[in-house]
Amino acid sequence: MMTLETLSTSKAYGGVQGVYKHQSVVTGTEMTFSVFVPDHPEGTRLPVVWYLSGLTCTHANVTEKGEFRAVCARLGLIFVAPDTSPRGEGVADDKESAYDFGLGAGFYVDAIQEPFAKNYRMWSYVTEELPAVIARSFPADADRQSIFGHSMGGHGALTIGLTYPERYRSVSAFAPIVAPSQVPWGRKALAGYLGDDSEAWERHDAVALIKNGARVPALFIDQGESDVFLAQQLRPELLAQVCADAGIACTLRMQPGYDHSYYFISTFMADHLEWHAERLRD
């Protein structure tokens, strides 16, 4: 059994905010993640919300800026924030040190292209290995899980939620990359990690998944109208249209004046947590 190392714990809103590290078999590296566990009666199993972060981020961005703890404490939600890519000595990176590929930009896929195939297996890490760690080490209820994320992490949340609708009771996102096959960030990442296999690309594209029959009851999306990435990289209108065609209830809120930052995310974080909590009730 792998050893979980506690890097820090702090009391917050009656619960515990922790940062932890373990040796990942899936990525072949050490992986760091954060977990907030609200105060709860001994023996209680709590619902879990998974938050996937965006390009260049680690677990720390949302942990420090997301303003989720007060709401999670009130609603009784465990909040889990993984990293966005493997890291460490020997882990391949983009040779041009571009922010949108390589370290910090794993795109929640299992890479098959060299030199990334060895370590960049974030799909398996987030959907298999880390959930097992959480179930073993925290008072998590495996039957009550939801997933959401931001930007690249919104892409990950949508594709994972659509792939495993029986596992996640609800899916939402802040400014997600909804159709990576059709935008520069996504095309670069999918080609770099998966090569030219169009079927593999479609498995990691929310719009393509829905066109190919994937279904969830509803999606909840917040998007800032002043987001500089809106027109070229995010394109939420594509998701809204494919959901309408498929009969999926998609709430897309365009938020005037908001950008792509954690000022935007933290403003609407409570709305998303409340939405998930409603669907995580027994």
Side-chain angles (χ1 to χ4, degrees):
M1 186 177 295
M2 69 184 70
T3 301
L4 186 64
E5 180 182 347
T6 300
L7 299 181
S8 67
T9 58
S10 300
K11 187 170 183 176
Y13 295 96
V16 176
Q17 176 64 64
V19 178
Y20 307 91
K21 179 171 70 174
H22 71 114
Q23 182 65 38
S24 168
V25 174
V26 167
T27 69
T29 67
E30 289 187 332
M31 295 295 289
T32 301
F33 61 93
S34 75
V35 181
F36 175 73
V37 180
D39 188 29
H40 61 283
E42 188 173 350
T44 304
R45 310 300 286 185
L46 302 174
V48 182
V49 288
W50 293 83
Y51 177 89
L52 305 185
S53 295
L55 289 167
T56 76
C57 292
T58 69
H59 70 281
N61 298 75
V62 69
T63 305
E64 296 169 3
K65 303 175 183 177
E67 300 182 20
F68 57 84
R69 278 172 286 270
V71 185
C72 286
R74 173 169 56 83
L75 298 173
L77 301 174
I78 293 176
F79 188 102
V80 181
D83 203 344
T84 52
S85 78
R87 301 178 193 270
E89 188 175 349
V91 175
D93 194 12
D94 178 42
K95 60 186 178 182
E96 298 177 355
S97 298
Y99 76 95
D100 57 354
F101 188 74
L103 292 182
F107 264 82
Y108 304 100
V109 303
D110 285 348
I112 58 175
Q113 295 291 102
E114 297 299 339
F116 303 99
K118 177 182 177 182
N119 304 117
Y120 283 77
R121 302 187 64 223
M122 292 302 295
W123 179 273
S124 291
Y125 179 71
V126 168
T127 64
E128 298 173 17
E129 188 175 33
L130 188 56
V133 172
I134 297 300
R136 186 168 58 245
S137 305
F138 300 91
D141 184 345
D143 294 326
R144 291 189 292 160
Q145 299 186 75
S146 292
I147 191 165
F148 69 143
H150 169 233
S151 193
M152 178 186 73
H155 140 75
L158 290 172
T159 56
I160 290 171
L162 285 162
T163 302
Y164 300 107
E166 72 288 348
R167 183 188 304 182
Y168 302 98
R169 293 196 184 181
S170 52
V171 185
S172 75
F174 301 102
I177 305 169
V178 305
S181 299
Q182 302 185 49
V183 301
W185 277 345
R187 287 196 295 264
K188 178 178 181 178
L190 296 177
Y193 293 133
L194 303 176
D196 58 3
D197 182 349
S198 60
E199 287 188 15
W201 284 36
E202 288 184 355
R203 290 194 297 271
H204 294 284
D205 182 307
V207 168
L209 280 167
I210 294 170
K211 283 183 177 179
N212 291 336
R215 296 292 183 268
V216 291
L219 295 172
F220 179 29
I221 311 295
D222 270 313
Q223 172 64 61
E225 287 187 356
S226 295
D227 190 325
V228 296
F229 304 114
L230 174 58
Q232 186 176 29
Q233 305 284 10
L234 306 178
R235 305 199 59 192
E237 73 280 359
L238 297 177
L239 182 66
Q241 184 59 59
V242 77
C243 284
D245 294 342
I248 296 173
C250 179
T251 299
L252 170 59
R253 304 194 308 186
M254 300 300 296
Q255 303 291 2
Y258 284 92
D259 57 19
H260 201 69
S261 72
Y262 268 90
Y263 297 112
F264 158 62
I265 297 166
S266 62
T267 299
F268 301 106
M269 176 65 77
D271 291 352
H272 285 250
L273 292 171
E274 295 269 10
W275 192 77
H276 290 299
E278 236 178 85
R279 289 154 181 79
L280 288 167
R281 294 193 182 109
D282 285 327

